[in-house]
Amino acid sequence: MSVERGGLGRLTHVIGEGLEGRVANRHLALFGLGFVGLFFILPVLLLIPESLALDSSTPFESYLRAMDGIYVDAFVRSFLFGVVTTAVTLALAYMLSYFLAFSTDRVRTAMTLIIVPLWIAYIVRYFGILLFLSPAGPLADLTGIETGLLFTTPAVIIGLANVYLPFAVLPIYNSLNAIDDELVDASRVLGAGKWHTIAKVIFPLSLPGLVAAGLIVFILAAGSFLGPAVLGGPKQTMIANVIAQAFLSNFNIQFASALAIVYTVLLVGTLLVFNTVFDLQEALGNI
């Protein structure tokens, strides 16, 4: 075993020496941009001619159909669920991150408990919540009360917030952990109480992490498919579910492509509006 480790160490050392001076930051940036362009931008661009169906007699029919009431409701519901999930998740993540940054020394253990769920497949976690909320689940056994939450909007929000909580904790904790302790001590020495220090010192300095976490959670929650599919009912259907049904069940590639393009445009537009309120480049750069 030690020989294998030694051989692997020598191999990585030789590779590192060979790449030293040859791989610059711009190469890494180009690799990242190329990956995003190949697997995100290019597929979206390919959807545009598919959705337009220019070779047919009604090229814009799919987009006109996407403006029907039931599909507009799905778009609105997706964004509303995204906003509510983001608000709930940020509130929970901020309290947890504050505890990790200022109130405990067992950060590594706590972080392990937060990160480990990311190793578990989403479908397993959603079904775990389904079992927990079911009339025959642990919650009903412990309380003796059937909450009736299953297949409702609160169940979907609970599931989304639970699944995406680690994505919010990590940037918020990083932002809180970067705050200079001397600033906090100075605030308290000058007579500010705990809550005043949080409101005037800690919260403003942690705002970049909060903005980054909100951005990540909103994008993930608004485009969720498994959350409403497992925990919701017909009234909780989101746009990802509609797109999947149009493509996988109805085999209507043109309509599914049109819905995907409309959703992408709405999401990018929302992010641009969000960027006018919060400078995303500065917020993400300060994480």
mmCIF file of all heavy atoms in Angstrom, residues 246-271:
data_model
loop_
_atom_site.group_PDB
_atom_site.id
_atom_site.type_symbol
_atom_site.label_atom_id
_atom_site.label_comp_id
_atom_site.label_asym_id
_atom_site.label_seq_id
_atom_site.Cartn_x
_atom_site.Cartn_y
_atom_site.Cartn_z
ATOM 1 N N ALA A 246 -44.581 17.405 -21.605
ATOM 2 C CA ALA A 246 -44.708 17.708 -23.036
ATOM 3 C C ALA A 246 -43.717 16.903 -23.868
ATOM 4 O O ALA A 246 -44.037 16.479 -24.982
ATOM 5 C CB ALA A 246 -44.501 19.205 -23.265
ATOM 6 N N PHE A 247 -42.536 16.673 -23.316
ATOM 7 C CA PHE A 247 -41.505 15.979 -24.090
ATOM 8 C C PHE A 247 -41.581 14.466 -23.942
ATOM 9 O O PHE A 247 -41.548 13.727 -24.936
ATOM 10 C CB PHE A 247 -40.125 16.478 -23.653
ATOM 11 C CG PHE A 247 -38.987 15.844 -24.407
ATOM 12 C CD1 PHE A 247 -38.738 16.180 -25.725
ATOM 13 C CD2 PHE A 247 -38.184 14.897 -23.804
ATOM 14 C CE1 PHE A 247 -37.696 15.590 -26.434
ATOM 15 C CE2 PHE A 247 -37.146 14.292 -24.494
ATOM 16 C CZ PHE A 247 -36.899 14.650 -25.816
ATOM 17 N N LEU A 248 -41.718 13.974 -22.704
ATOM 18 C CA LEU A 248 -41.639 12.538 -22.448
ATOM 19 C C LEU A 248 -42.970 11.823 -22.620
ATOM 20 O O LEU A 248 -43.000 10.658 -23.035
ATOM 21 C CB LEU A 248 -41.104 12.292 -21.032
ATOM 22 C CG LEU A 248 -39.699 12.837 -20.744
ATOM 23 C CD1 LEU A 248 -39.345 12.623 -19.290
ATOM 24 C CD2 LEU A 248 -38.676 12.185 -21.654
ATOM 25 N N SER A 249 -44.074 12.508 -22.298
ATOM 26 C CA SER A 249 -45.387 11.864 -22.382
ATOM 27 C C SER A 249 -46.095 12.153 -23.696
ATOM 28 O O SER A 249 -46.662 11.249 -24.315
ATOM 29 C CB SER A 249 -46.268 12.316 -21.209
ATOM 30 O OG SER A 249 -45.672 11.965 -19.970
ATOM 31 N N ASN A 250 -46.057 13.412 -24.120
ATOM 32 C CA ASN A 250 -46.767 13.800 -25.339
ATOM 33 C C ASN A 250 -45.877 13.799 -26.579
ATOM 34 O O ASN A 250 -46.371 14.000 -27.691
ATOM 35 C CB ASN A 250 -47.386 15.189 -25.154
ATOM 36 C CG ASN A 250 -48.339 15.240 -23.975
ATOM 37 O OD1 ASN A 250 -48.948 14.236 -23.618
ATOM 38 N ND2 ASN A 250 -48.466 16.408 -23.364
ATOM 39 N N PHE A 251 -44.567 13.647 -26.387
ATOM 40 C CA PHE A 251 -43.599 13.619 -27.489
ATOM 41 C C PHE A 251 -43.704 14.861 -28.381
ATOM 42 O O PHE A 251 -43.510 14.791 -29.591
ATOM 43 C CB PHE A 251 -43.781 12.347 -28.333
ATOM 44 C CG PHE A 251 -43.666 11.079 -27.540
ATOM 45 C CD1 PHE A 251 -44.809 10.368 -27.187
ATOM 46 C CD2 PHE A 251 -42.434 10.622 -27.108
ATOM 47 C CE1 PHE A 251 -44.710 9.207 -26.426
ATOM 48 C CE2 PHE A 251 -42.335 9.464 -26.353
ATOM 49 C CZ PHE A 251 -43.473 8.754 -26.014
ATOM 50 N N ASN A 252 -44.014 15.993 -27.759
ATOM 51 C CA ASN A 252 -44.126 17.260 -28.479
ATOM 52 C C ASN A 252 -42.848 18.052 -28.247
ATOM 53 O O ASN A 252 -42.761 18.887 -27.339
ATOM 54 C CB ASN A 252 -45.355 18.037 -27.997
ATOM 55 C CG ASN A 252 -45.707 19.185 -28.925
ATOM 56 O OD1 ASN A 252 -44.846 19.698 -29.637
ATOM 57 N ND2 ASN A 252 -46.961 19.585 -28.925
ATOM 58 N N ILE A 253 -41.850 17.796 -29.085
ATOM 59 C CA ILE A 253 -40.541 18.412 -28.890
ATOM 60 C C ILE A 253 -40.609 19.914 -29.101
ATOM 61 O O ILE A 253 -39.982 20.691 -28.368
ATOM 62 C CB ILE A 253 -39.514 17.774 -29.850
ATOM 63 C CG1 ILE A 253 -39.407 16.269 -29.584
ATOM 64 C CG2 ILE A 253 -38.153 18.444 -29.702
ATOM 65 C CD1 ILE A 253 -38.483 15.556 -30.539
ATOM 66 N N GLN A 254 -41.382 20.358 -30.091
ATOM 67 C CA GLN A 254 -41.468 21.786 -30.380
ATOM 68 C C GLN A 254 -42.061 22.561 -29.198
ATOM 69 O O GLN A 254 -41.534 23.606 -28.807
ATOM 70 C CB GLN A 254 -42.325 22.032 -31.629
ATOM 71 C CG GLN A 254 -41.671 21.649 -32.945
ATOM 72 C CD GLN A 254 -41.691 20.149 -33.178
ATOM 73 O OE1 GLN A 254 -42.485 19.422 -32.569
ATOM 74 N NE2 GLN A 254 -40.812 19.679 -34.049
ATOM 75 N N PHE A 255 -43.119 22.045 -28.615
ATOM 76 C CA PHE A 255 -43.759 22.751 -27.502
ATOM 77 C C PHE A 255 -42.874 22.723 -26.256
ATOM 78 O O PHE A 255 -42.756 23.721 -25.543
ATOM 79 C CB PHE A 255 -45.116 22.123 -27.205
ATOM 80 C CG PHE A 255 -45.891 22.839 -26.144
ATOM 81 C CD1 PHE A 255 -46.121 24.207 -26.223
ATOM 82 C CD2 PHE A 255 -46.375 22.155 -25.038
ATOM 83 C CE1 PHE A 255 -46.829 24.870 -25.235
ATOM 84 C CE2 PHE A 255 -47.083 22.803 -24.049
ATOM 85 C CZ PHE A 255 -47.313 24.174 -24.147
ATOM 86 N N ALA A 256 -42.253 21.570 -25.997
ATOM 87 C CA ALA A 256 -41.342 21.483 -24.851
ATOM 88 C C ALA A 256 -40.176 22.447 -25.013
ATOM 89 O O ALA A 256 -39.752 23.105 -24.045
ATOM 90 C CB ALA A 256 -40.832 20.055 -24.700
ATOM 91 N N SER A 257 -39.657 22.568 -26.231
ATOM 92 C CA SER A 257 -38.566 23.504 -26.490
ATOM 93 C C SER A 257 -39.011 24.943 -26.285
ATOM 94 O O SER A 257 -38.274 25.763 -25.716
ATOM 95 C CB SER A 257 -38.043 23.322 -27.919
ATOM 96 O OG SER A 257 -37.578 22.008 -28.133
ATOM 97 N N ALA A 258 -40.222 25.272 -26.734
ATOM 98 C CA ALA A 258 -40.742 26.631 -26.553
ATOM 99 C C ALA A 258 -40.900 26.965 -25.078
ATOM 100 O O ALA A 258 -40.540 28.071 -24.637
ATOM 101 C CB ALA A 258 -42.076 26.779 -27.275
ATOM 102 N N LEU A 259 -41.428 26.040 -24.301
ATOM 103 C CA LEU A 259 -41.571 26.265 -22.863
ATOM 104 C C LEU A 259 -40.205 26.466 -22.205
ATOM 105 O O LEU A 259 -40.042 27.329 -21.333
ATOM 106 C CB LEU A 259 -42.284 25.083 -22.208
ATOM 107 C CG LEU A 259 -43.771 24.918 -22.518
ATOM 108 C CD1 LEU A 259 -44.290 23.606 -21.931
ATOM 109 C CD2 LEU A 259 -44.580 26.087 -21.961
ATOM 110 N N ALA A 260 -39.224 25.665 -22.620
ATOM 111 C CA ALA A 260 -37.880 25.791 -22.052
ATOM 112 C C ALA A 260 -37.259 27.140 -22.397
ATOM 113 O O ALA A 260 -36.613 27.772 -21.550
ATOM 114 C CB ALA A 260 -36.996 24.654 -22.553
ATOM 115 N N ILE A 261 -37.459 27.599 -23.635
ATOM 116 C CA ILE A 261 -36.907 28.891 -24.043
ATOM 117 C C ILE A 261 -37.574 30.023 -23.278
ATOM 118 O O ILE A 261 -36.910 30.953 -22.784
ATOM 119 C CB ILE A 261 -37.071 29.099 -25.562
ATOM 120 C CG1 ILE A 261 -36.188 28.112 -26.342
ATOM 121 C CG2 ILE A 261 -36.729 30.527 -25.951
ATOM 122 C CD1 ILE A 261 -34.714 28.280 -26.095
ATOM 123 N N VAL A 262 -38.892 29.969 -23.145
ATOM 124 C CA VAL A 262 -39.617 31.016 -22.410
ATOM 125 C C VAL A 262 -39.158 31.047 -20.953
ATOM 126 O O VAL A 262 -38.912 32.122 -20.385
ATOM 127 C CB VAL A 262 -41.142 30.783 -22.492
ATOM 128 C CG1 VAL A 262 -41.876 31.751 -21.568
ATOM 129 C CG2 VAL A 262 -41.623 30.960 -23.922
ATOM 130 N N TYR A 263 -39.016 29.873 -20.354
ATOM 131 C CA TYR A 263 -38.562 29.819 -18.960
ATOM 132 C C TYR A 263 -37.155 30.396 -18.821
ATOM 133 O O TYR A 263 -36.867 31.150 -17.876
ATOM 134 C CB TYR A 263 -38.596 28.386 -18.450
ATOM 135 C CG TYR A 263 -37.921 28.218 -17.113
ATOM 136 C CD1 TYR A 263 -38.508 28.713 -15.948
ATOM 137 C CD2 TYR A 263 -36.682 27.593 -17.015
ATOM 138 C CE1 TYR A 263 -37.883 28.585 -14.725
ATOM 139 C CE2 TYR A 263 -36.052 27.459 -15.789
ATOM 140 C CZ TYR A 263 -36.657 27.953 -14.654
ATOM 141 O OH TYR A 263 -36.030 27.827 -13.444
ATOM 142 N N THR A 264 -36.267 30.044 -19.747
ATOM 143 C CA THR A 264 -34.892 30.554 -19.696
ATOM 144 C C THR A 264 -34.866 32.069 -19.814
ATOM 145 O O THR A 264 -34.134 32.753 -19.081
ATOM 146 C CB THR A 264 -34.053 29.925 -20.817
ATOM 147 O OG1 THR A 264 -34.073 28.495 -20.687
ATOM 148 C CG2 THR A 264 -32.613 30.407 -20.755
ATOM 149 N N VAL A 265 -35.667 32.611 -20.738
ATOM 150 C CA VAL A 265 -35.717 34.074 -20.914
ATOM 151 C C VAL A 265 -36.251 34.750 -19.655
ATOM 152 O O VAL A 265 -35.720 35.769 -19.195
ATOM 153 C CB VAL A 265 -36.579 34.431 -22.139
ATOM 154 C CG1 VAL A 265 -36.818 35.934 -22.207
ATOM 155 C CG2 VAL A 265 -35.903 33.950 -23.420
ATOM 156 N N LEU A 266 -37.310 34.182 -19.070
ATOM 157 C CA LEU A 266 -37.873 34.761 -17.850
ATOM 158 C C LEU A 266 -36.873 34.697 -16.694
ATOM 159 O O LEU A 266 -36.746 35.657 -15.910
ATOM 160 C CB LEU A 266 -39.151 34.016 -17.465
ATOM 161 C CG LEU A 266 -40.365 34.215 -18.383
ATOM 162 C CD1 LEU A 266 -41.520 33.327 -17.934
ATOM 163 C CD2 LEU A 266 -40.802 35.678 -18.394
ATOM 164 N N LEU A 267 -36.158 33.589 -16.599
ATOM 165 C CA LEU A 267 -35.184 33.443 -15.515
ATOM 166 C C LEU A 267 -34.028 34.419 -15.685
ATOM 167 O O LEU A 267 -33.619 35.082 -14.713
ATOM 168 C CB LEU A 267 -34.663 32.006 -15.481
ATOM 169 C CG LEU A 267 -33.679 31.665 -14.351
ATOM 170 C CD1 LEU A 267 -34.332 31.884 -12.993
ATOM 171 C CD2 LEU A 267 -33.179 30.239 -14.483
ATOM 172 N N VAL A 268 -33.510 34.534 -16.896
ATOM 173 C CA VAL A 268 -32.412 35.480 -17.145
ATOM 174 C C VAL A 268 -32.886 36.914 -16.905
ATOM 175 O O VAL A 268 -32.159 37.729 -16.322
ATOM 176 C CB VAL A 268 -31.871 35.315 -18.578
ATOM 177 C CG1 VAL A 268 -30.868 36.423 -18.916
ATOM 178 C CG2 VAL A 268 -31.221 33.946 -18.745
ATOM 179 N N GLY A 269 -34.110 37.224 -17.336
ATOM 180 C CA GLY A 269 -34.658 38.557 -17.093
ATOM 181 C C GLY A 269 -34.780 38.853 -15.606
ATOM 182 O O GLY A 269 -34.476 39.961 -15.151
ATOM 183 N N THR A 270 -35.217 37.857 -14.842
ATOM 184 C CA THR A 270 -35.319 38.027 -13.383
ATOM 185 C C THR A 270 -33.950 38.280 -12.766
ATOM 186 O O THR A 270 -33.803 39.135 -11.885
ATOM 187 C CB THR A 270 -35.951 36.779 -12.751
ATOM 188 O OG1 THR A 270 -37.241 36.553 -13.324
ATOM 189 C CG2 THR A 270 -36.083 36.947 -11.243
ATOM 190 N N LEU A 271 -32.935 37.564 -13.240
ATOM 191 C CA LEU A 271 -31.589 37.756 -12.711
ATOM 192 C C LEU A 271 -31.048 39.136 -13.077
ATOM 193 O O LEU A 271 -30.319 39.756 -12.274
ATOM 194 C CB LEU A 271 -30.657 36.668 -13.253
ATOM 195 C CG LEU A 271 -30.989 35.241 -12.822
ATOM 196 C CD1 LEU A 271 -29.991 34.259 -13.407
ATOM 197 C CD2 LEU A 271 -31.004 35.126 -11.306
#
